[in-house]
Amino acid sequence: MAPAKRNYKNDFPRLIERLENMIVIGRLQPRERLVEADLASLFNVSRAWVRDALKILETKGLVKMIPFRGATVAQLSEVEIEEIVQIRVVLERLCNRLALQNFRPDHAEQLHRLANRVNAAYEKNSFSEMLAANAEFHHLIATIAGNQMLIGMLQQLRSRFHLFNTFAWSSPDLVRQIIREHEQYIEAFEKSDINTLNRLAESHISYSKDLYLKQLKGQLK
């Protein structure tokens, strides 16, 4: 006997969260076709439910709905990538500046714990744990900044950014550089070094962008 379908009202937000997470961690790759029947079977829900979830993810820029063909994981164009990076760098710098005003010694301890989690995940080659710990590291900085509107805007941009962030995290050299920069972030906060924080806001993002653009251009040749 097939397992009972889950209750729509209780679990629909969870379905959206799980689908989004599969895209964010790279389990579903850009341009990959999202087959409603397969996803409905995977999550033990109705196809209509999956269709509604995909429409919501389309509003977040993570899914592209193609008439008469269905849905695919969104692939960003070079122009879209450059625009996202331009906006995100500005917002990350604002976030760092606000966080610096509120920074306390216990915040450094919390950031060190998250940085260590990223490193531990790298050592055991756990891709999903690396991405999760890195996301928590930067979310903590945004939380310290304390601007709820800014947190929401950054979260939306970071979700779209994850569409090509996975390319950076697949490169051991770049992961080691990102891990080093986590320590530089903490040191800069402890020293109230806004110049270093401004530099890191751009360099920390550029690795993913550059690697993805290289991959994208290779596909277009």
Side-chain angles (χ1 to χ4, degrees):
M1 179 182 295
K5 298 294 183 182
R6 293 175 183 168
N7 183 277
Y8 184 101
K9 291 184 179 179
N10 291 338
D11 288 315
F12 187 62
R14 176 61 177 158
L15 173 64
I16 298 170
E17 179 184 340
R18 291 182 68 185
L19 282 170
E20 183 172 352
N21 186 59
M22 289 172 72
I23 294 172
V24 163
I25 68 175
R27 186 173 171 185
L28 295 172
Q29 291 290 311
R31 297 198 301 178
E32 182 173 344
R33 189 162 174 254
L34 301 171
V35 181
E36 291 178 5
D38 292 346
L39 292 172
S41 177
L42 175 64
F43 293 111
N44 187 33
V45 296
S46 69
R47 289 182 61 175
W49 192 4
V50 170
R51 191 177 306 120
D52 288 343
L54 294 177
K55 288 178 181 177
I56 290 174
L57 291 179
E58 182 181 31
T59 66
K60 296 185 176 185
L62 299 177
V63 168
K64 183 177 182 180
M65 306 293 286
I66 305 173
F68 309 110
R69 292 181 58 188
T72 63
V73 177
Q75 173 159 300
L76 300 171
S77 68
E78 185 172 348
V79 171
E80 289 173 316
I81 292 168
E82 294 291 357
E83 289 177 347
I84 289 173
V85 169
Q86 287 174 358
I87 296 170
R88 188 175 164 193
V89 167
V90 172
L91 293 181
E92 293 284 0
R93 286 176 172 171
L94 173 60
C95 180
N96 289 341
R97 179 168 61 80
L98 294 177
L100 191 59
Q101 296 173 3
N102 301 327
F103 202 78
R104 304 189 309 262
D106 62 298
H107 290 145
E109 295 174 6
Q110 295 174 51
L111 288 172
H112 273 300
R113 283 196 293 270
L114 291 171
N116 290 338
R117 277 179 50 193
V118 176
N119 193 38
Y122 170 71
E123 293 296 333
K124 66 178 184 179
N125 198 30
S126 177
F127 183 76
S128 60
E129 289 183 34
M130 278 191 292
L131 284 176
N134 179 68
E136 287 187 46
F137 181 93
H138 291 285
H139 182 69
L140 176 56
I141 293 173
T143 301
I144 296 168
N147 185 309
Q148 295 302 312
M149 183 71 72
L150 178 60
I151 290 172
M153 294 171 69
L154 281 172
Q155 185 173 353
Q156 183 178 7
L157 287 174
R158 287 169 179 167
S159 291
R160 298 200 71 187
F161 198 80
H162 276 299
L163 288 170
F164 53 97
N165 204 26
T166 54
F167 286 89
W169 290 90
S170 64
S171 167
D173 289 340
L174 289 183
V175 171
R176 286 191 289 269
Q177 179 60 31
I178 290 170
I179 287 173
R180 285 193 292 270
E181 289 193 354
H182 284 159
E183 295 302 325
Q184 293 173 23
Y185 259 107
I186 299 169
E187 182 179 357
F189 275 118
E190 291 178 319
K191 294 182 176 180
S192 298
D193 185 352
I194 189 62
N195 291 328
T196 295
L197 289 172
N198 284 339
R199 174 182 61 80
L200 289 170
E202 183 166 6
S203 67
H204 212 62
I205 296 170
S206 67
Y207 305 129
S208 299
K209 181 199 77 170
D210 294 344
L211 198 58
Y212 186 85
L213 286 177
K214 183 178 179 180
Q215 176 79 9
L216 182 62
K217 291 174 181 177
Q219 291 175 351
L220 297 176
K221 287 182 179 179

